[in-house]
């Protein structure tokens, strides 16, 4: 393996607080309490350390990052440190004054999430009456300010048939990039998987619609789309590979190779309260244990894709196969690949009732 370089990006989960209650949220079931969140001063130090070790991008996320009153200060500090700044937001708190604060702070990019293309359905999935209207207002403010906009549509069994309307909405909002994001089955989404996992027929339909839209809109709008793991033959390089490209900081300060890593047993994830980012990245067990290929079992170890997919997702291997060191069940070569087929079958006639995301502090 080549010499370890700096991370490409820092994902800053400022808070688990959020006005929405999306049942597909990948936040952990036991979320960090507001009182456990890093202070402004601690986040400022983390941002300085990120710039010092060569990180290029910082993504402010959550929960809802705009629930933090110090967001303007944090973005301004990151921008002054030379970091490219992106905020991943629901948009429901992006008022006119909040937009002015983002602009004054020097925000570079906004990624705006949508639950659906239709107001009634979107409000139902978000658990927030009037949320869709607020998102549309937020999108217009973003574009009026001249900022690049990514419209992120999370799709699942109960909204996937409106995929054409979602793409049309993204185009109408002048988004430069549209992400058609299949639900990631961690946290609340895994809890609700049977009610969210699309059927094969639904997947084939959306594959065709997206491919046609990508061709039709080529040169005008970028459409990002990846087939969900449950229907894949090969695993994806989760987060670009374990400890290869990103550091994720939880609201309470734990440094994680990915946002779901806290589910893994037998790990002590270092806190930025006690350790510097450089040391965490280079030498902590949490980042080195599954980095590279030496840890891989068969058939990963002898696979010609091992430095492309990096063994897939460790959290998914744990959640589905019971062992984070096993081959990701998304791979057709995995002895556990049948688990994916069984999950698809279990969802066919499952009830559509959803458990909403709520702040249950652990």
């Amino acid at each position: 393996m080549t010499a370890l370089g700096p991370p490409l990006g820092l994902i800053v989960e400022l808070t688990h607080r959020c006005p929405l209650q999306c049942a597909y949220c990948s936040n952990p079931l036991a979320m960090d309490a507001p009182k456990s969140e890093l202070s402004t001063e601690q986040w400022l130090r983390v941002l300085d350390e990120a710039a010092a070790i060569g990180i290029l991008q910082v993504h402010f996320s959550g929960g809802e990052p705009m629930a933090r009153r110090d967001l303007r200060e944090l973005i301004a500090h990151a921008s002054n440190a030379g970091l490219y700044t992106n905020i991943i937001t629901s948009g429901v708190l992006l008022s006119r004054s909040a937009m002015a604060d983002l602009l004054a702070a020097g925000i570079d990019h906004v990624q705006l999430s949508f639950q659906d293309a239709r107001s009634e359905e979107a409000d139902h999935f978000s658990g927030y009456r009037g949320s869709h209207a607020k998102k549309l207002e937020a999108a217009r403010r973003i574009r009026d300010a001249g900022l690049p906009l990514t419209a992120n549509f999370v799709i699942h069994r109960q909204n996937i048939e409106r995929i054409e309307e979602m793409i049309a909405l993204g185009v109408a909002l002048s988004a430069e990039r549209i992400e058609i994001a299949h639900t990631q089955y961690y946290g609340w989404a895994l809890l609700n998987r049977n009610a969210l996992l699309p059927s094969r027929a639904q997947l084939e339909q959306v594959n065709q619609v997206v491919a046609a839209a990508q061709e039709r809109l080529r040169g005008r709008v970028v459409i990002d789309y990846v087939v969900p793991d449950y229907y894949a033959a090969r695993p994806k390089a989760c987060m670009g590979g374990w400890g290869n490209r990103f550091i994720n900081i939880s609201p309470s300060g734990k440094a994680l190779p990915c946002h779901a890593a806290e589910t893994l047993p037998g790990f002590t994830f270092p806190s930025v309260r006690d350790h510097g980012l450089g040391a965490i990245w280079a030498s902590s067990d949490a980042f080195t244990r599954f980095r590279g290929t030496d840890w891989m079992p068969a058939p990963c170890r002898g696979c010609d894709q091992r430095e492309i997919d990096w063994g897939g997702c460790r959290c998914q291997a744990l959640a589905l196969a019971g062992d984070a060191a096993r081959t990701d069940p998304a791979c057709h070569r995995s002895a556990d690949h049948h688990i994916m087929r069984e999950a698809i079958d279990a969802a066919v006639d499952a009830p559509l009732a959803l458990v909403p995301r709520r702040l249950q502090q652990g």
Side-chain angles (χ1 to χ4, degrees):
M1 186 174 177
T2 58
L4 180 67
L8 171 64
L10 178 70
I11 301 171
V12 170
E13 293 187 344
L14 293 176
T15 180
H16 281 152
R17 287 173 284 151
C18 182
L20 307 189
Q21 298 181 359
C22 305
Y24 58 73
C25 183
S26 58
N27 279 163
L29 298 182
M31 293 180 274
D32 289 343
K35 65 182 180 182
S36 72
E37 294 172 9
L38 293 182
S39 67
T40 302
E41 292 71 25
Q42 289 168 325
W43 278 123
L44 294 177
R45 176 176 55 78
V46 168
L47 293 170
D48 284 337
E49 291 178 3
I53 66 173
I55 289 177
L56 301 176
Q57 309 167 356
V58 58
H59 305 273
F60 294 95
S61 180
E64 172 51 65
M66 299 195 71
R68 287 279 301 217
R69 294 181 179 179
D70 57 358
L71 181 61
R72 173 176 173 169
E73 182 179 357
L74 298 180
I75 292 174
H77 195 84
S79 181
N80 290 336
L83 295 164
Y84 181 88
T85 56
N86 173 45
I87 182 171
I88 304 167
T89 178
S90 69
V92 299
L93 301 181
L94 190 55
S95 62
R96 187 177 291 105
S97 62
M99 186 76 249
D101 283 344
L102 292 183
L103 292 172
I107 192 70
D108 291 305
H109 181 271
V110 181
Q111 182 173 326
L112 185 61
S113 67
F114 289 87
Q115 282 69 36
D116 207 299
R118 300 180 184 177
S119 294
E120 183 177 351
E121 288 82 353
D123 290 354
H124 168 70
F125 292 130
S126 72
Y128 186 113
R129 187 181 179 91
S131 64
H132 191 67
K134 289 180 179 292
K135 290 170 182 287
L136 297 180
E137 290 177 6
R140 294 186 184 101
R141 288 191 178 110
I142 294 163
R143 298 308 284 138
D144 287 348
L147 287 171
L149 168 66
T150 293
N152 177 271
F153 294 92
V154 180
I155 58 174
H156 48 78
R157 175 183 172 186
Q158 300 188 38
N159 72 357
I160 197 170
E161 293 177 359
R162 292 183 289 281
I163 183 63
E164 291 184 273
E165 295 178 48
M166 296 181 203
I167 294 172
L169 177 59
V171 172
L173 294 175
S174 300
E176 296 182 345
R177 182 179 297 272
I178 298 172
E179 289 190 0
I180 307 300
H182 279 278
T183 297
Q184 298 182 60
Y185 294 98
Y186 307 101
W188 293 89
L190 183 59
L191 179 68
N192 287 296
R193 185 181 64 186
N194 280 355
L196 295 171
L197 193 62
S199 68
R200 187 171 297 278
Q202 287 178 318
L203 178 67
E204 290 173 355
Q205 178 195 13
V206 77
N207 288 348
Q208 293 174 9
V209 170
V210 171
Q214 287 173 325
E215 182 62 30
R216 183 176 69 253
L217 297 169
R218 189 179 306 279
R220 293 173 52 200
V221 182
V222 175
I223 300 180
D224 291 332
Y225 174 72
V226 180
V227 174
D229 284 347
Y230 283 74
Y231 288 97
R234 314 278 317 186
K236 295 191 287 288
C238 182
M239 301 295 288
W242 183 277
N244 282 356
R245 300 185 68 185
F246 293 97
I247 299 179
N248 191 105
I249 310 295
S250 75
S252 62
K254 290 182 182 177
L256 309 167
C258 79
H259 64 280
E262 282 187 273
T263 61
L264 301 183
F267 276 85
T268 300
F269 291 102
S271 173
V272 295
R273 299 176 191 268
D274 308 313
H275 305 279
L277 275 188
I280 289 172
W281 177 251
S283 58
S284 69
D285 173 67
F287 279 79
T288 60
R289 191 182 302 189
F290 294 128
R291 178 181 282 155
T293 60
D294 289 346
W295 64 272
M296 291 182 177
C300 298
R301 184 182 293 271
C303 179
D304 60 1
Q305 301 293 304
R306 64 187 179 277
E307 292 189 2
I308 296 175
D309 60 41
W310 300 106
C313 179
R314 300 301 88 221
C315 303
Q316 188 159 261
L318 172 72
L320 301 184
D323 183 353
R326 287 180 71 83
T327 298
D328 186 341
C331 182
H332 73 285
R333 297 178 180 176
S334 167
D336 302 306
H337 191 58
H338 64 92
I339 295 173
M340 297 301 202
R341 297 192 299 271
E342 291 165 1
I344 294 169
D345 292 342
V348 171
D349 296 316
L352 297 181
L354 296 167
V355 179
R357 172 201 189 273
R358 291 197 172 94
L359 190 62
Q360 299 178 146
Q361 294 129 21

